[in-house]
Amino acid sequence: DVQLQASGGGLVQAGGSLRLSCLATGFSFDDYGIGWFRQAPGKEREGVSWIASSDGPAYYADSVKGRFTVSRDNAKNTVYLQMNSLKPEDTAVYHCAAYYGAAWSQVRYLKYDEYNYWGQGTQVTVSS
């Protein structure tokens, strides 16, 4: 059974940190890249960060660049999103999603329905 589970959200004060985890089961995790997305009330879903199937290459949205770091541990079938210097505008439900076969340069432009798997979200709330 395919599962992709995001966890690690919570309530944190502005300037604080959280680490989100995306745990995959039921598919060949190390063959898939992972994207992180978020959606805040009243706003459209936006891409936050992407990491390739092998560690190293990563993209970040301008709004989080320099504050967030994505990494993966394929031995644990887990991708992490370390979020530092959090701001109230980071408040959202965060989802992870897996993709296969896309050219790295095109990953940021994939349509949402082109991702192979989506996980349930985890709530991040940053107080001012």
Side-chain angles (χ1 to χ4, degrees):
D1 188 29
V2 172
Q3 295 185 47
L4 197 63
Q5 298 176 321
S7 63
L11 175 64
V12 64
Q13 292 183 332
S17 298
L18 288 171
R19 188 179 72 165
L20 306 185
S21 297
C22 179
L23 174 64
T25 57
F27 64 98
S28 299
F29 181 70
D30 57 357
D31 290 332
Y32 289 76
I34 296 291
W36 285 97
F37 302 85
R38 67 187 182 187
Q39 187 167 21
K43 296 183 179 180
E44 296 293 321
R45 181 165 53 183
E46 63 175 337
V48 175
S49 182
W50 296 261
I51 189 166
S53 57
S54 59
D55 203 1
Y59 289 130
Y60 300 94
D62 288 343
S63 59
V64 308
K65 195 172 297 181
R67 299 187 298 119
F68 291 11
T69 302
V70 67
S71 62
R72 67 189 297 156
D73 185 343
N74 286 344
K76 296 181 178 179
N77 283 4
T78 301
V79 165
Y80 303 100
L81 185 67
Q82 179 67 46
M83 306 186 297
N84 298 327
S85 301
L86 283 162
K87 303 175 180 180
E89 52 262 45
D90 296 318
T91 296
V93 176
Y94 285 70
H95 298 261
C96 57
Y99 62 86
Y100 177 81
W104 176 240
S105 63
Q106 302 300 308
V107 161
R108 291 170 294 170
Y109 311 111
L110 288 172
K111 297 177 180 178
Y112 295 138
D113 61 5
E114 293 180 304
Y115 285 80
N116 297 87
Y117 308 115
W118 282 88
Q120 293 187 338
T122 185
Q123 176 71 49
V124 172
T125 302
V126 184
S127 62
S128 61

